[in-house]
Each structure stands twice: as structure tokens, then as C-alpha cells.
Amino acid sequence: MAELLIKDLYKTYTKNKKPVPAVKSLNLSCRDGEFIAFLGPSGCGKSTTLRMIAGLEDVTSGEIVIGGTVVNHLHPSKRNVGLAFENYALYPPLSIYENIAFNLRAKKTPEADIKRQVEKIAELLHINELLDMKPAALSGGQKQRVNIARAIVRRPGVLLLDEPLSHLDGKMRQSMRTELKRLHTEIKSTSIIVTHDQSEAMALADRIAIINEGVLQQYGTPLEVYNKPANEFVAGFIGEPPMNLFTVTAVTEPTGEPVFQIDGSDIRFKVPPAYRAKVRASQPYRFGIRPTDIRIVSGSDPATLTTKVAIFENLGEECRLHIRINEMLLSMVTSENVSFKAGDEIHLLFREERIHLFDPVTGNRL
Ligand code: ADP
Ligand code: MG
């Protein structure tokens, strides 16, 4: 078990003699035993960061501290880390038992200890039955389990998982996700999982580091990043279906009331009280509302948005409804048993306290 600190970390690759910045000024701290997710789109620098922590990649500048020791110049085997990568490189000629025992053997662990540790881990990951088999005989899900078993058998202080569930399909992925959570509560290693799947990060992590183009966007608990996204990127990345985001302009009604008008349309709605002091007349804003934070109401009052249904989908456990605003669709989700068809008039109400506003230039939350 160990605390992990990342201080002002940079990584610049060189491609065709040109510098390619992959990680820019990353600062993070992971408490002992915490489960952290690195979340972001493909190519944002997640694996690079993980590989620098593991010692498989040199850092360009900055410091990595594990359990109070700067590890920048330590060999991977001396860093007290366990690694499971996306492409589980199991040794084909070796049995599953030997695959898991491999690193222990390399450290000249006594045979009796190896047996005890492999069996313990096998039990934890429900792979006892597979120990005598060869990798080729295993399903993707079983290989994924063995891959993780191999990473944790040495009880690393820091467990690093790079998209460990990426080769699994829907149901299997869900159940391995639950297993990973259980596993973490049992082994208590400080753990980092790299994923591009926001629901995986939300379900597993104590805190999520959201990264875009090598830059940390926000670091917080799943609820913090969901309820108070620091910027428009995080707002659009977290949540499924994604947050509705569009440009509005603040306008003052003849009555003196401040309203937002959706650009390119005549749709207007009240500026929520919480934002009144911040909003300037005639200024544009990026406005965000989650599909689950829009309600269908019966009558029209000044706060509602009266419009027409463009698409209606009944998915069984929930209904999704879309209205068209210029080229964009505004989506909403409801678990109520409603039924509409395209063209029906509908009255919508945004949950005021759930409205997000972002600066149109910086993208930062207002
Ligand atoms: P992620 O894991 O978030 O998908 P990576 O960390 O693998 O992203 O990559 C981050 C950026 O660094 C990408 O632009 C990628 O092309 C670049 N990159 C990664 N590895 C290398 C390498 N060995 N040489 C040059 N560029 C690399
Ligand atoms: Mg990657």
C-alpha cells in the first residue's frame, strides 16, 4: 500500500524530429488505498502517464513519488507497482499457474510461498479451475482475470490497470467491473484504472482524473465531476446520454426579466436565479442541461419551453425524447410512462438548480 504523488509531470515524444507533447504539467495525488480512474478520449495521454508511473517510459520532466520515495530513476521492478495492460501478454507455453507464479519465481520466492500466494489470488479472482490450463484454452474474460491476477499476486503498493476490461463484451464487462470493485476492497492497493469509458470510471473510482490533450481537466469524486463539471469538456464527457450544450444569448424582456435566447431560434427561457448576478445582457453563454434534468409538464407557464417533438423512443425502462433546435437535437430522458409521436406539442421545464453555464471563450464553468 502506498500514496502516489505526481508533480508537474511532462512527457514529450519526438515524432519525425518534431516534439509531440503527450502529458502537460500533470499534478495529482492518490491517497493510500484509493481507487483512481484516468478518463479521457483516445490519445489524451492516459497510457503514457501510467507507463511513466510504472517506469516503462522516461519522464521528460517532473516527479513521481510512491510511498514517499521519488521513483523517477528506479527500475520498474523496484517501484512496488503491479501492472495489467490491455493486451494480456500471457506466456503461451506456460500453464496459468506458472503465468501467475512467474514474477514471484523471478524474485526467488520459496516454492511453498508461491503456491500459497497463487492459490489465494486464484480464489480471489475465481480462476482456481483454470490453473492447470494453457492460455490458448481460455476465453477473453478468463484471460483478463489471469492478467489481473498476475498484476496483484505480488501485492503491489500501487496497482496499474490499463483498459483491463476493453476486450470484454457488454455483460461480461459489467460483471468484471463489479468484480474489480470487490477485489479492490479486498486487496486495498492504491489502484489506477485507465479507461475511455465514463460509466466504468464513474462506477469504479473514488476519484476521477479527466484528461484531454495531455491536460488534466478536473480531478474529483464521481458526483463532483457529474454535478459540477469544471468546464464544458468535462460536462460533455461525463454522463450518458451526454449533456445538452448550446449557445444562448442573455436578453432582457420588455418586462425587465432576464432571459436566455437559444441562438438562431426564438426559444427563450428564464435565467435561473442563481445565475442572475453573473449574466450580462447581450452576452453569449454556453448553456448545459442533462437529459435527465428536463421535465415534461402539462400546461405552459412563463418558465416552460413549448415546442414540438422531433423523435420519440421508448426503450422500455426509459423514454428518450428529442426536439430539434436549428441543426441540433435537444434530448431528454424520462422514466415516466409517456408516449408521444413526432410533431406533438410538448411543454418542457429545465430543472433550474441543475442548469450549467460555461464561458463561451474559455469553456470554464461560471
Ligand atoms: P491514451 O492512452 O490516452 O489513448 P497515449 O498515452 O497512448 O494515449 O498517447 C498520448 C499521445 O502520445 C498520442 O498523441 C500518441 O500518439 C502519442 N504517443 C504515445 N506513445 C508514443 C510513442 N512511443 N512515440 C511517439 N508518440 C507516442
Ligand atoms: Mg491507452
Side-chain angles (χ1 to χ4, degrees), residues 179-246:
E179 295 277 304
L180 265 186
K181 187 109 183 169
R182 172 188 62 87
L183 201 64
H184 178 257
T185 58
E186 291 190 27
I187 66 166
K188 300 185 179 71
S189 293
T190 307
S191 304
I192 299 178
I193 185 168
V194 159
T195 178
H196 61 270
D197 177 345
Q198 59 91 27
S199 68
E200 202 163 284
M202 293 289 282
L204 284 172
D206 297 317
R207 283 194 287 173
I208 305 177
I210 298 153
I211 304 169
N212 189 36
E213 296 182 352
V215 178
L216 182 67
Q217 306 291 310
Q218 189 170 4
Y219 187 37
T221 65
L223 279 184
E224 281 166 359
V225 299
Y226 183 85
N227 288 332
K228 286 210 153 174
N231 58 36
E232 197 179 327
F233 177 83
V234 175
F237 204 80
I238 297 276
E240 174 52 39
M243 186 186 287
N244 297 293
L245 286 157
F246 40 92

Side-chain angles (χ1 to χ4, degrees), residues 114 149 359:
I114 293 181
D359 183 301

Side-chain angles (χ1 to χ4, degrees), residues 19-81:
V20 181
V23 177
K24 301 176 204 165
S25 185
L26 180 65
N27 287 284
L28 271 187
S29 71
C30 314
R31 290 188 283 268
D32 188 5
E34 212 175 2
F35 202 155
I36 302 297
F38 288 176
L39 173 69
S42 175
C44 74
K46 307 179 294 293
S47 297
T48 300
T49 306
L50 211 67
R51 291 169 60 80
M52 287 193 282
I53 298 168
L56 302 176
E57 199 77 69
D58 286 337
V59 315
T60 301
S61 66
E63 248 180 20
I64 298 167
V65 185
I66 297 177
T69 306
V70 178
V71 298
N72 285 38
H73 302 293
L74 289 185
H75 187 266
S77 64
K78 298 279 190 299
R79 294 188 179 201
N80 192 16
V81 298

